[in-house]
Amino acid sequence: MCGIFGMFSRDQEIDFEPLFGKALNALKHRGPDDRGTKQIRSSEGALGLGHTRLSIIDLSEGGRQPMHSSDGRFTLVFNGEIYNYKELRAELRDQGHEFRTKSDSEVLLACWSFWGKSCLKRLRGMFAFSIHDKRDETVTCARDAFGIKPFFYTRDANGFSFASEIPALLLLLEKQPALNLQLAHDYLVYGAYDDREATFHEGVRHLAPGNMMTFHLSKP
């Protein structure tokens, strides 16, 4: 497993470094082999992406994330495994795509570059990922159909944040959310928790299994 997180703020002067250092440390148990961050600033605000890596398929530095497409348009942070990545790699090679690594992360990035969101129906595996599209100024997040890999997020008028685990996500927030008393009650009384998108923290949500969402950076 790996750990991913990201944050977009309309405050262009925001200092990501202390926040991301804490988030990386909070997720190091998910990815002890490597870590990386990327900051992208534009007229719309500031976007930061982070990753802690557990190296399994490609052990080289070529599999480091955040990972960028060859044309620089897309940036990926990915947690999981694409089981059919070799077949997808072969199909993309037939279309003229060249690969620099042996990682399934690069294959996922190439799939998105070539097929866009329709590539999701081609993927066989367990995953949670986020892709920034520099041209369209969007961040798209997706989770596998069974929800094997976790993905939590929160959003407001100033931006959004996401992470593989809630403790890391809370470190990115300026104000700590209140306890979701209704969910706490339902959990203690009925044992209900994973049956909804809400979490124990107000405003912090699961991305539901098999779902995708897109944040448009130019829109509030």
Side-chain angles (χ1 to χ4, degrees), residues 17 33 74 83 94 105 121 125 133 137 140 146 148 182 185 203:
E17 292 301 330
D33 298 325
F74 300 103
Y83 302 143
D94 288 343
S105 303
K121 63 185 178 182
D133 185 333
E137 294 189 323
T140 300
F146 294 99
I148 298 173
Q182 183 61 58
H185 170 272

Side-chain angles (χ1 to χ4, degrees), residues 83 125-127 143-150 207-211:
Y83 302 143
M126 52 182 181
F127 54 82
R143 193 175 178 206
D144 64 78
F146 294 99
I148 298 173
K149 294 302 180 182
L207 177 59
N211 273 247

Side-chain angles (χ1 to χ4, degrees), residues 27-181:
L27 292 173
K28 65 181 180 181
H29 62 284
R30 299 185 64 89
D33 298 325
D34 196 11
R35 56 173 58 188
T37 60
K38 175 66 176 179
Q39 298 185 30
I40 304 167
R41 298 182 186 268
S42 69
S43 60
E44 305 299 335
L47 172 69
L49 299 171
H51 184 265
T52 61
R53 182 184 180 197
L54 178 64
S55 304
I56 296 178
I57 293 178
D58 184 341
L59 306 184
S60 73
E61 290 188 1
R64 175 173 290 177
Q65 297 182 43
M67 182 178 287
H68 312 287
S69 61
S70 57
D71 61 1
R73 177 179 173 181
F74 300 103
T75 303
L76 167 74
V77 285
F78 162 56
N79 170 34
E81 182 177 352
I82 307 301
Y83 302 143
N84 61 331
Y85 78 98
K86 291 183 179 179
E87 292 83 355
L88 292 169
R89 182 204 299 269
E91 187 173 355
L92 288 164
R93 275 181 170 166
D94 288 343
Q95 298 293 333
H97 191 90
E98 297 182 0
F99 290 90
R100 306 184 304 273
T101 75
K102 297 180 180 179
S103 71
D104 58 342
S105 303
E106 187 183 11
V107 173
L108 172 57
L109 190 53
C111 286
W112 192 272
S113 298
F114 190 73
W115 289 299
K117 64 183 180 181
S118 66
C119 77
L120 291 171
K121 63 185 178 182
R122 298 172 178 266
L123 303 179
R124 303 291 180 266
M126 52 182 181
F127 54 82
F129 66 83
S130 178
I131 290 185
H132 171 242
D133 185 333
K134 182 178 180 180
R135 189 189 73 185
D136 292 348
E137 294 189 323
T138 59
V139 174
T140 300
C141 309
R143 193 175 178 206
D144 64 78
F146 294 99
I148 298 173
K149 294 302 180 182
F151 192 101
F152 299 93
Y153 72 97
T154 184
R155 67 186 305 177
D156 58 29
N158 188 53
F160 62 86
S161 301
F162 66 85
S164 294
E165 296 182 2
I166 289 179
L169 176 58
L170 295 180
L171 293 170
L172 302 175
L173 305 183
E174 181 179 357
K175 182 179 179 180
Q176 295 302 291
L179 175 66
N180 185 330
L181 295 176

